[in-house]
Amino acid sequence: MLLEIDVTKNFQDFTCHAAFTLETKQCGVFGPSGSGKSTLMHMLAGLLEPDKGFIRLNGRTLFDREQKISLPPDQRRVGVVFQHAHLFPHMSVQRNLFYGMNRLPKEERHIDPAHLIEVLQIDKLLNRNVSKLSGGERQRVALGRTILACPQLILLDEPLSGLDGMLKYQIIPQLQQVFAEFSIPMLFISHSLQELRMMTEEVLVMQKGQLVQQLATEELARTSFGTGGQGYTNLLHLDEMEDLGKLLRCRWGSIPVMLVKAPDQRPGEFSLNGRDILLFKKHPEASSARNMLSCTVRRTYETDWLVGVELECQDSQGSQEQNLIAEIVPQSVEELNIQPGNEVVAVFKASAFRRLY
Ligand SMILES: Nc1ncnc2c1ncn2[C@@H]1O[C@H](COP(=O)(O)OP(=O)(O)OP(=O)(O)O)[C@@H](O)[C@H]1O
């Protein structure tokens, strides 16, 4: 995908200006409420006309003020999924799903509906009336309808913010799978950095109507979590849980880790705060913490008042496996001689994990 934009929109007391070139398939738009994320998205989709500038998608001009080009939304090949799925209330799920696809010339229909329906797990909903769907089901149908129209770009405007926490994290793996399998470029708009980390590789940061940064989502996570009070959040996929009574032995890739047993605990995504990880020079002789991983320091970086230490953790065979970031105070960096290439032991409790979904 190649998206080239330089647009300006003036409202009475607000100006939105964004100029960027994007080649990444999975990109986020991040910013606080009122920073202009939706305004930018509406200009892209053709729902709002910029006062100045141009929008080109894969070399095709969607908008150009000087050339007096402004394609209507249905000719842009840009699909939109809103916060609240705008499904047609008088149609069944099936008719909603195929609405856009039926309007496409046959030679442009390159998505297999049966496969998409399977990945989105909506096969049992096809004959239902849309008023009988839950929030998560509605969002999956809305996404399916948008994808079947075979857009060159999909805009998702806070698609998860209308869903409660648990449901949100259940739908994320499905979204990840859909975008990976069908390889559709997307712009994912959100004010949740956690969602963006799970869904995108690169992110555009909006502030007060201006595009202020374009960077890797992971890089943004490091700086924002580091300078914010909450600390950097490592995201870990844990599976193969083995019941040891009050603890669960799980796999993080090929590394075994211990997790406290909670009701209804099952494999999935967990977070581990970088400030909950202690670093030791040598393997501690005894500790109440259940997790002690041998690691190599890869890099350090400074946050406002802590130091982020990028670690490569080894599995039992000693091969470098997973990455982890610990945040420690500068004095500890000096005392432990934390430098790239040095070996340390990362220690954290079995209760330090938080389940995401
Ligand atoms: N049609 C309009 N007329 C006048 N002002 C508008 C219009 N649309 C948006 N704005 C203003 O533009 C600013 C940015 O709004 P926008 O909805 O783009 O922000 P946002 O980053 O998407 O916010 P949120 O996360 O709350 O959805 C706001 O101050 C809003 O009041």
Side-chain angles (χ1 to χ4, degrees), residues 221-231 275 302-305 327:
R222 286 179 195 196
T223 47
S224 326
F225 289 138
T227 50
Q230 73 262 52
R275 296 181 192 179
E302 286 185 22
T303 69
D304 270 4
W305 47 281
E327 283 185 351

Side-chain angles (χ1 to χ4, degrees), residues 11-14 16 31-40 42 48 83 157-158 189 191 206:
F11 294 124
Q12 214 171 12
D13 48 7
F14 184 87
C16 178
S33 184
S35 56
K37 304 183 296 295
S38 298
T39 303
L40 173 63
H42 288 158
L48 184 69
Q83 178 178 344
D157 192 3
E158 302 270 5
I189 293 155
H191 56 261
M206 299 286 296

Side-chain angles (χ1 to χ4, degrees), residues 234-240 250-257 272 293 295 311-315 321-325 348 353:
N234 293 283
L235 298 178
L236 296 82
H237 181 81
L238 303 183
D239 52 24
E240 292 185 27
C250 319
R251 290 260 153 204
W252 174 37
S254 63
I255 299 177
V257 291
L272 172 64
L293 305 182
C295 305
L311 303 164
E312 232 172 52
C313 310
Q314 295 149 18
D315 65 10
E321 242 286 328
Q322 303 276 22
N323 298 324
L324 208 56
I325 289 181
F348 47 93
F353 293 101

Side-chain angles (χ1 to χ4, degrees), residues 52-118:
K52 264 198 334 203
F54 63 84
I55 304 173
R56 289 194 283 269
L57 177 58
N58 301 330
R60 204 162 50 94
T61 301
L62 307 186
F63 176 84
D64 192 314
R65 172 58 81 192
E66 283 186 2
Q67 294 182 42
K68 297 191 168 45
I69 297 173
S70 183
L71 297 186
D74 59 347
Q75 286 176 25
R76 292 197 175 202
R77 306 291 303 273
V78 174
V80 188
V81 177
F82 293 99
Q83 178 178 344
H84 299 288
H86 296 297
L87 298 174
F88 302 117
H90 56 288
M91 294 183 192
S92 67
V93 167
Q94 178 147 344
R95 286 187 60 209
N96 262 283
L97 261 182
F98 288 94
Y99 183 86
M101 193 181 107
N102 289 339
R103 277 160 183 72
L104 267 188
K106 283 213 165 56
E107 63 278 7
E108 287 179 24
R109 299 178 192 175
H110 57 80
I111 303 272
D112 171 15
H115 184 39
L116 180 66
I117 288 167
E118 184 191 323

Side-chain angles (χ1 to χ4, degrees), residues 314-357:
Q314 295 149 18
D315 65 10
S316 48
Q317 264 75 51
S319 53
Q320 309 293 345
E321 242 286 328
Q322 303 276 22
N323 298 324
L324 208 56
I325 289 181
E327 283 185 351
I328 59 176
V329 293
Q331 290 87 333
S332 306
V333 176
E334 262 182 48
E335 278 175 32
L336 292 172
N337 187 27
I338 300 282
Q339 285 188 28
N342 284 2
E343 303 288 314
V344 289
V345 180
V347 174
F348 47 93
K349 296 176 174 184
S351 59
F353 293 101
R354 298 282 170 272
R355 190 190 165 79
L356 289 178
Y357 57 87

